[in-house]
Amino acid sequence: MKKGVFHLETKEAIQVGQLVVLPAELNATKVNVLIDAPINFDNLAAISGKAKITSNVANIDADIAYGKEIKAKITTTIPKDSLLINFDKNVHYAVISPLVTNITVGTKDIKVKVTSKKINADVMMKPLSKTLDGKIHIAGMTATMKAQPNGDVVIKSDVGSFASLLDTVKQFYTIEALPKIDGKLNVSVLVKKNQDVTLSLTSPQVIYHA
């Protein structure tokens, strides 16, 4: 049995700002890459490997297996000294990190599951029929996502109320004091194939407290 190991590692950090244009706060981004994949030359149809990307922005650990299906588990963490902190101090990165993404690519469909402390999303794509169905839970808010064969994508959410929407947003982002608004709220987003976006907000009654 012939075996080997594919190994790729950066000898020194890649200065990303020298390769692409970045915002000033992220211009000092440095990235290190490490990839290891054992290889069985008698069975190249089944390959698994690990990839590790470390940086001063975010760290990514990935486990990938290729066989009858392609499976990947990708874990993204944001270090406490990440450059993202100064990029926008209003973002609550602690509720996002770690972010775990599981991807399974089969012969007929692609399944994606994303989880973190406040996020839970399940999406199924069927490339042959060009459809997509998904359900997303973000803190206290739930949304559904559907893509049609014509390429249009519809995202709908029964938020419940303006108060619950603001509560959800505040769990991810610091917002200064806003006027108090009560009322039920339904949100719908239509993304056309030509990338036109239509946002619809409907509410049977809105009460504004000055």
Side-chain angles (χ1 to χ4, degrees):
M1 183 180 293
K2 296 180 180 180
K3 292 184 177 182
V5 175
F6 173 81
H7 177 82
L8 176 65
E9 182 176 0
T10 51
K11 289 186 176 181
E12 58 184 43
I14 300 170
Q15 306 283 343
V16 180
Q18 296 178 4
L19 303 175
V20 296
V21 177
L22 296 172
E25 295 86 349
L26 303 179
N27 208 37
T29 299
K30 298 179 181 180
V31 176
N32 286 287
V33 179
L34 173 64
I35 300 174
D36 279 308
I39 300 174
N40 181 353
F41 291 99
D42 293 327
N43 184 18
L44 293 176
I47 299 175
S48 63
K50 292 180 179 290
K52 187 178 185 69
I53 300 173
T54 55
S55 75
N56 51 358
V57 174
N59 298 323
I60 298 174
D61 288 278
D63 291 289
I64 303 171
Y66 175 82
K68 292 182 178 180
E69 296 180 320
I70 300 174
K71 292 187 177 183
K73 180 180 180 180
I74 304 167
T75 302
T76 304
T77 56
I78 299 173
K80 293 182 179 180
D81 58 348
S82 170
L83 297 179
L84 290 173
I85 306 301
N86 288 326
F87 182 68
D88 192 339
K89 295 183 179 180
N90 292 313
V91 178
H92 303 165
Y93 294 103
V95 301
I96 304 171
S97 174
L99 185 72
V100 180
T101 304
N102 285 279
I103 304 171
T104 301
V105 181
T107 56
K108 295 182 179 181
D109 55 41
I110 301 172
K111 299 175 184 176
V112 180
K113 184 176 182 64
V114 180
T115 56
S116 75
K117 294 175 184 177
K118 297 286 184 178
I119 299 172
N120 193 320
D122 287 281
V123 177
M124 177 178 285
M125 294 172 277
K126 294 186 177 182
L128 294 178
S129 59
K130 298 181 181 180
T131 60
L132 177 150
D133 284 283
K135 181 169 285 188
I136 306 168
H137 300 275
I138 302 177
M141 188 173 67
T142 300
T144 59
M145 179 168 54
K146 289 184 178 292
Q148 304 301 323
N150 64 0
D152 293 350
V153 178
V154 179
I155 302 172
K156 292 183 178 181
S157 178
D158 182 357
V159 176
S161 68
F162 283 95
S164 62
L165 174 61
L166 290 176
D167 180 66
T168 296
V169 173
K170 287 179 180 179
Q171 293 184 56
F172 292 87
Y173 197 86
T174 298
I175 300 177
E176 299 299 328
L178 294 173
K180 186 177 179 181
I181 301 174
D182 291 328
K184 184 177 175 61
L185 177 66
N186 293 316
V187 181
S188 178
V189 180
L190 172 62
V191 183
K192 303 285 287 185
K193 185 179 181 180
N194 62 5
Q195 298 185 345
D196 287 344
V197 179
T198 302
L199 172 64
S200 299
L201 302 175
T202 58
S203 178
Q205 183 181 38
V206 177
I207 303 174
Y208 173 77
H209 300 274

